[in-house]
Amino acid sequence: MRHRYIGDTAVSAIGLGAMPLSIEHRPDETRALATVHAALDAGVTFIDTADSYHWHADEAGHNELLIARALARYGGDTSDVLIGTKGGRGRPGDGSWTVTGTPAHLKRAAEASAKRLGGDAIGLYQLHKPDPAVPWAESVGALRELLDAGTVRAAGISNVTVGQIREARQILGDGLVSVQNQYSPAVRDSEAELELSAELGLAFLPWSPLGGISRSSLEGPSGPSFIGTAFHRVAAEHGVSPQQVALAWLLSRSPAVIPVPGASRPASISDSARAAELVLSAGELELLGEVLPG
């Protein structure tokens, strides 16, 4: 597995998005644990979670606890695994998502996440989404306090604009190490945020990176699916899955990019991890550059 950097920490070029293991239509725990273990077996050393990755209202932190159990039960060395979690969103249990970016909430959420994950501090703590009811500087200021208190080692921001990245950098300095926005073959609205992340030395972590190739867990069975795209044609030529081609394409966009594809089956993350070794030609990359239909 090739490596890239989140701050000064080397991680696998492909991460694991653990959300599908805990939300609606989630697998049973045996398969969920096997999926995390398959990721580790494939060399994945970055796992993305959040306190809001759960299904029912009374199970906040379900995914964090699941990841902690999976690591504890894994037979190999997990000392180089970086867990990135997020705070600032909630799930009332009716399928909706809420946003709460007050400093008091974020600090409580981070402390609760730290207890669930174990260890001395959270490796990467990300502000899940800006709260329109709270000044951005106040929410980011909570991350600054968490860094200063040692509750978290590094901070990230998610679902943000160029202006919000610049403001967060001013507040957090080198403590800010990552940006996580939606970015995929079908959704490329965050080109400017990707470019700025690379310029500032921040890791760019695309969520729902297989959009246009596979349905997102957030889209459900009615989500869009494109068949017969250039990604499928290139995949057939290489004898690999379209998902591998999509992830390899993302990796080619910038050294800052570390995709975190979701998975709910061991075979899915094992396949995704192999994208780190897939080399696409200049001609193939040019072919894949066309934006998929919306």
Side-chain angles (χ1 to χ4, degrees):
M1 171 70 76
R2 288 189 290 154
H3 287 78
R4 293 191 169 184
Y5 283 85
I6 299 178
D8 58 2
T9 302
V11 299
S12 54
I14 300 291
L16 169 65
M19 181 177 70
L21 301 176
S22 290
I23 66 168
E24 292 87 336
H25 313 294
R26 65 194 182 199
D28 62 32
E29 180 155 320
T30 298
R31 195 175 92 188
L33 294 175
T35 299
V36 178
H37 291 169
L40 298 172
D41 288 343
V44 171
T45 59
F46 176 59
I47 300 176
D48 181 75
T49 181
D51 61 358
S52 58
Y53 289 169
H54 60 90
W55 185 350
H56 307 292
D58 60 350
E59 54 178 20
H62 181 280
N63 199 244
E64 293 173 324
L65 291 169
L66 176 69
I67 297 304
R69 287 196 297 276
L71 293 178
R73 298 178 189 179
Y74 186 62
D77 181 15
T78 61
S79 60
D80 61 345
V81 175
L82 175 65
I83 304 300
T85 192
K86 296 181 286 293
R89 302 206 74 177
R91 301 209 73 199
D94 60 0
S96 66
W97 297 74
T98 60
V99 182
T100 306
T102 62
H105 172 82
L106 292 172
K107 286 184 280 189
R108 286 195 303 269
E111 289 165 0
S113 290
K115 290 180 181 178
R116 286 189 287 263
L117 292 171
D120 298 330
I122 297 172
L124 173 64
Y125 193 69
Q126 304 160 91
L127 180 54
H128 206 153
K129 187 175 184 178
D131 184 344
V134 179
W136 179 238
E138 291 185 14
S139 295
V140 177
L143 297 184
R144 177 73 268 170
E145 292 184 37
L146 290 166
L147 286 165
D148 292 343
T151 307
V152 309
R153 295 193 181 94
I157 51 179
S158 183
N159 299 299
V160 289
T161 65
V162 163
Q164 289 167 335
I165 295 172
R166 292 193 183 279
E167 187 174 358
R169 179 66 170 217
Q170 291 177 343
I171 296 169
L172 299 172
D174 291 340
L176 178 66
V177 299
S178 66
V179 170
Q180 185 167 173
N181 278 14
Q182 185 176 17
Y183 189 78
S184 70
V187 180
R188 306 186 192 181
D189 297 341
S190 285
E191 290 283 0
E193 289 77 15
L194 168 54
E195 291 176 7
L196 179 58
S197 297
E199 175 188 325
L200 297 177
L202 307 175
F204 186 84
L205 315 173
W207 63 264
S208 194
L210 299 175
I213 305 300
S214 298
R215 295 186 179 102
S216 166
S217 295
L218 289 175
E219 293 172 330
S222 62
S225 181
F226 304 109
I227 300 174
T229 68
F231 288 86
H232 292 78
R233 295 195 295 274
V234 171
E237 293 172 1
H238 283 269
V240 300
S241 69
Q243 289 81 1
Q244 277 192 49
V245 174
L247 295 170
W249 173 79
L250 283 166
L251 290 171
S252 77
R253 303 299 290 165
S254 167
V257 172
I258 302 171
V260 284
S264 62
R265 297 182 298 115
S268 297
I269 188 57
S270 297
D271 180 74
S272 291
R274 288 193 286 272
E277 310 303 326
L278 179 60
V279 179
L280 301 173
S281 70
E284 288 171 333
L285 291 174
E286 183 178 357
L287 178 66
L288 298 173
E290 182 179 348
V291 178
L292 293 174

